[in-house]
Amino acid sequence: MRKRIVPIVLFSIVAAIGLFCIGVNLYVVSYARPYVYSDVNSLPYKYTVILPGARVYENNVSLVVAERIEGTLRCINAGKAERILVSGDHGHKDYDEVNQILAYMKCIYDVDDERVFLDHAGFSTYETVYRARDIFCVKDAAIVTQKFHVYRAVYIARKLGLDAVGLEAPEMWHLSKSLRSRMRAGWECREFLARIKAFFNVAMKSKPTYLGEQIPITGDSMPSRD
């Protein structure tokens, strides 16, 4: 009898955890969906565009970052925002997402860097949004990122009190369907777990790795430089 009970109990636990994880993902996506846009012309005006960082290289940025930059500049050019907050990982001297993104924006798009603020401690989406609120005094924002990521970003932002919307970053390169599908599959698997982490971060009111002095997004961007 005991031999039968143990597998049943273990199966029930695993099933309950699985259902919980699926439920969290469905909740995060459904919560954020009304605030996500695919067309910049339909996007409501927000003072700030938040550009979350991702992988960069010594003299270039990744496809993910390039698409986020393109979407961000479309917001600015369409008059949908005034300021840009670039947030990313600059936790080590030999790896710097935010300055590389700024350099790319200036080189490729000739962007006016006076309107660009840099958050060097945006080590995660949660920390990016938390610091946007508490360090850069952001109250309303459009978060530009890929579709697989935008729901989590908007969910976190609105749960932390920002009047936030999301814009799906445009697909800039016409990759083969098989390659793009493989990339999306990998992103979605990672995102499934990331949404669960975000849910607990919000519920537990987790603190970011670093806080510090305020640099209001309405002021001078130079204090945000390193």
Side-chain angles (χ1 to χ4, degrees):
M1 189 67 176
R2 290 181 180 178
K3 291 182 179 180
R4 293 181 180 179
I5 293 176
V6 171
I8 293 173
V9 171
L10 291 176
F11 175 81
S12 299
I13 293 172
V14 172
I17 293 173
L19 289 173
F20 173 78
C21 293
I22 293 171
V24 166
N25 271 263
L26 292 174
Y27 169 65
V28 169
V29 172
S30 63
Y31 179 91
R33 192 184 301 279
Y35 310 103
V36 173
Y37 297 80
S38 58
D39 179 11
V40 70
N41 294 314
S42 302
L43 192 74
Y45 173 86
K46 302 296 176 183
Y47 187 77
T48 305
V49 179
I50 298 177
L51 195 169
R55 186 68 185 175
V56 300
Y57 308 103
E58 185 174 353
N59 295 306
N60 206 347
V61 299
S62 62
L63 170 63
V64 168
V65 171
E67 291 179 342
R68 292 177 185 179
I69 292 173
E70 174 68 21
T72 295
L73 271 297
R74 288 185 185 183
C75 288
I76 296 296
N77 294 334
K80 298 295 185 177
E82 304 294 330
R83 301 296 175 93
I84 300 170
L85 176 59
V86 177
S87 181
D89 184 351
H90 187 191
H92 303 280
K93 291 183 178 179
D94 58 351
Y95 185 70
D96 181 354
E97 289 181 358
V98 291
N99 278 299
Q100 184 60 43
I101 291 172
L102 177 60
Y104 185 94
M105 292 170 71
K106 292 171 67 176
C107 178
I108 304 299
Y109 295 92
D110 193 28
V111 68
D112 176 11
D113 64 351
E114 291 186 0
R115 65 169 62 190
V116 181
F117 288 68
L118 303 183
D119 178 9
H120 302 264
F123 303 126
S124 67
T125 304
Y126 182 83
E127 293 184 89
T128 287
V129 175
Y130 197 114
R131 286 175 52 82
R133 185 193 68 182
D134 285 26
I135 300 299
F136 296 92
C137 306
V138 173
K139 295 181 180 180
D140 63 325
I143 306 173
V144 180
T145 185
Q146 281 72 17
K147 184 175 182 179
F148 72 88
H149 177 223
V150 71
Y151 298 107
R152 172 164 57 99
V154 171
Y155 168 81
I156 294 170
R158 297 194 70 87
K159 285 294 185 178
L160 291 184
L162 274 66
D163 179 13
V165 295
L167 177 67
E168 295 176 15
E171 293 185 358
M172 294 175 58
W173 283 279
H174 298 290
L175 304 177
S176 67
K177 289 185 178 180
S178 60
L179 177 57
R180 181 70 76 167
S181 296
R182 290 197 299 272
M183 292 172 64
R184 284 174 178 162
W187 291 336
E188 288 293 348
C189 288
R190 177 184 177 278
E191 191 63 20
F192 183 86
L193 298 175
R195 288 175 189 145
I196 298 167
K197 181 181 178 182
F199 176 83
F200 282 109
N201 280 335
V202 168
M204 298 173 66
K205 300 181 179 179
S206 303
K207 299 292 184 181
T209 306
Y210 299 110
L211 284 173
E213 296 183 4
Q214 290 187 336
I215 308 173
I217 197 75
T218 55
D220 183 8
S221 65
M222 289 303 107
S224 71
R225 306 291 193 267
D226 59 353

